[in-house]
């Protein structure tokens, strides 16, 4: 109930008027049944615009800290994130990846749309970075389609740093569903998972027009300078897995 109240009454109308979002490819979202919504990640605002412009509810996995902060502010934060369909995962433990996979699988088993960011973190400079293979593993294990979700302009709406919300036009594109059923039973094969991930990243690159960088974004954020053989801004991910 709170999700739809935010979308249609409390927050959604403001976003429509203030940011004038445009959407393409809504017809690519299945009317029912599960799917993985794999998006590029430019800003905190990404997970607000995608559900705003989707006719169906999208559930995202959120870090557990959003649900466990003490005090009145923490309770409000927990209410907000729970009400908007976010599901807590502990990203600090050794089993974080497995826990996230299990949580996403549970949601997909319920026939939901699950939003994931293959880059794993927000882009530090607006470019599109190498995708992690967890999304591919989830797609291969569950057999659900992957829908590329491209956001353009959200990094201008809410840039990194102290919270801001600027008057910037946003475009969102839902790409055609990608079917990886040809790789049924091949989950765990790292070459197949990398190929599937690259195919999704290629579609995101094509939809957004972002420059692709063949290195993980988190390595730059942690101050790990990539060597010459770790980064290639000209390598384009495969158009077809396989």
């Amino acid at each position: 109930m709170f999700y739809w109240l935010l979308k249609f009454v409390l927050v959604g109308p403001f976003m429509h008027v203030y940011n004038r979002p445009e959407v393409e490819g809504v017809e690519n979202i299945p009317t029912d049944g599960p799917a993985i919504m794999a998006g590029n990640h430019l800003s905190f605002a990404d997970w607000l615009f995608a559900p705003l412009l989707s006719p169906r509810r999208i559930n995202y996995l959120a870090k557990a800290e959003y649900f466990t902060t003490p005090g009145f502010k923490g309770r409000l934060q927990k209410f907000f994130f729970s009400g908007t369909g976010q599901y807590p995962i502990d990203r600090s433990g050794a089993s974080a990846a497995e826990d996230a996979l299990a949580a996403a699988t549970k949601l997909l088993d319920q026939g939901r749309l699950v939003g994931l960011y293959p880059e794993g973190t927000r882009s530090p400079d607006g470019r599109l970075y190498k995708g992690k293979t967890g999304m591919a593993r989830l797609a291969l294990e569950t057999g659900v389609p992957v829908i590329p979700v491209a956001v353009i302009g959200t990094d201008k709406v809410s840039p990194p740093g102290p919270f801001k919300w600027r008057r910037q036009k946003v475009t969102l594109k839902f790409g055609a569903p990608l079917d990886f059923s040809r790789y049924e039973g091949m989950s765990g094969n790292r070459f197949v998972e990398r190929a599937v991930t690259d195919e999704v990243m290629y579609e995101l690159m094509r939809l957004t027009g972002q420059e692709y960088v063949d290195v993980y974004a988190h390595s730059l954020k942690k101050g790990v300078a990539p060597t010459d053989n770790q980064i290639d801004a000209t390598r384009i991910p495969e158009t077809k897995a396989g």
Side-chain angles (χ1 to χ4, degrees):
M1 178 64 183
F2 184 57
Y3 179 96
W4 303 110
L5 187 65
L6 283 172
K7 180 171 180 175
F8 293 115
V9 179
L10 299 178
V11 177
F14 164 79
M15 293 170 66
H16 276 293
V17 172
Y18 196 69
N19 298 110
R20 299 171 292 116
E22 292 184 352
V23 61
E24 301 176 15
V26 171
E27 67 278 4
N28 290 320
I29 302 175
T31 55
D32 55 36
I36 296 170
M37 314 296 283
N40 64 318
H41 201 8
L42 293 172
S43 164
F44 166 83
D46 296 340
W47 72 271
L48 293 173
F49 279 99
L52 176 70
L53 300 172
S54 167
R56 289 182 61 191
R57 182 171 180 162
I58 302 176
N59 296 106
Y60 288 92
L61 304 182
K63 58 184 180 181
E65 290 89 335
Y66 290 150
F67 299 81
T68 58
T69 302
F72 179 70
K73 180 180 178 181
R75 290 194 295 272
L76 286 179
Q77 186 171 265
K78 179 180 179 180
F79 176 75
F80 177 80
F81 281 99
S82 298
T84 53
Q86 313 310 300
Y87 287 79
I89 56 169
D90 183 357
R91 303 195 302 184
S92 61
S95 63
E98 293 298 328
D99 292 345
L101 184 66
T105 299
K106 181 179 179 180
L107 291 171
L108 292 171
D109 287 344
Q110 295 171 1
R112 302 186 185 226
L113 301 180
V114 175
L116 299 176
Y117 296 112
E119 291 169 279
T121 188
R122 283 174 284 183
S123 170
D125 54 17
R127 295 185 293 178
L128 183 68
Y129 283 80
K130 186 176 182 178
K132 297 186 176 183
T133 58
M135 174 270 303
R137 179 182 170 189
L138 181 64
L140 293 171
E141 289 190 355
T142 61
V144 305
V146 178
I147 299 175
V149 181
V151 292
I152 303 169
T154 51
D155 52 332
K156 304 296 191 301
V157 172
S158 185
F163 179 77
K164 302 181 183 68
W165 195 273
R166 295 173 175 169
R167 195 181 188 94
Q168 170 70 34
K169 189 175 182 61
V170 170
T171 300
L172 192 139
K173 301 177 183 180
F174 295 103
L178 301 175
D179 177 15
F180 297 108
S181 60
R182 61 191 183 276
Y183 295 113
E184 183 179 358
M186 299 184 73
S187 174
N189 183 313
R190 65 188 181 92
F191 298 106
V192 170
E193 291 179 353
R194 170 47 55 194
V196 168
T197 303
D198 278 354
E199 185 172 337
V200 174
M201 300 312 291
Y202 175 84
E203 286 301 309
L204 288 174
M205 180 186 69
R206 186 182 65 81
L207 290 168
T208 63
Q210 289 174 277
E211 177 186 355
Y212 179 79
V213 183
D214 191 33
V215 68
Y216 294 117
H218 76 272
S219 67
L220 298 185
K221 289 188 173 183
K222 289 183 177 179
V224 179
T227 61
D228 290 341
N229 64 348
Q230 289 178 313
I231 181 169
D232 182 358
T234 64
R235 191 188 83 85
I236 297 175
E238 298 296 332
T239 59
K240 289 294 180 183

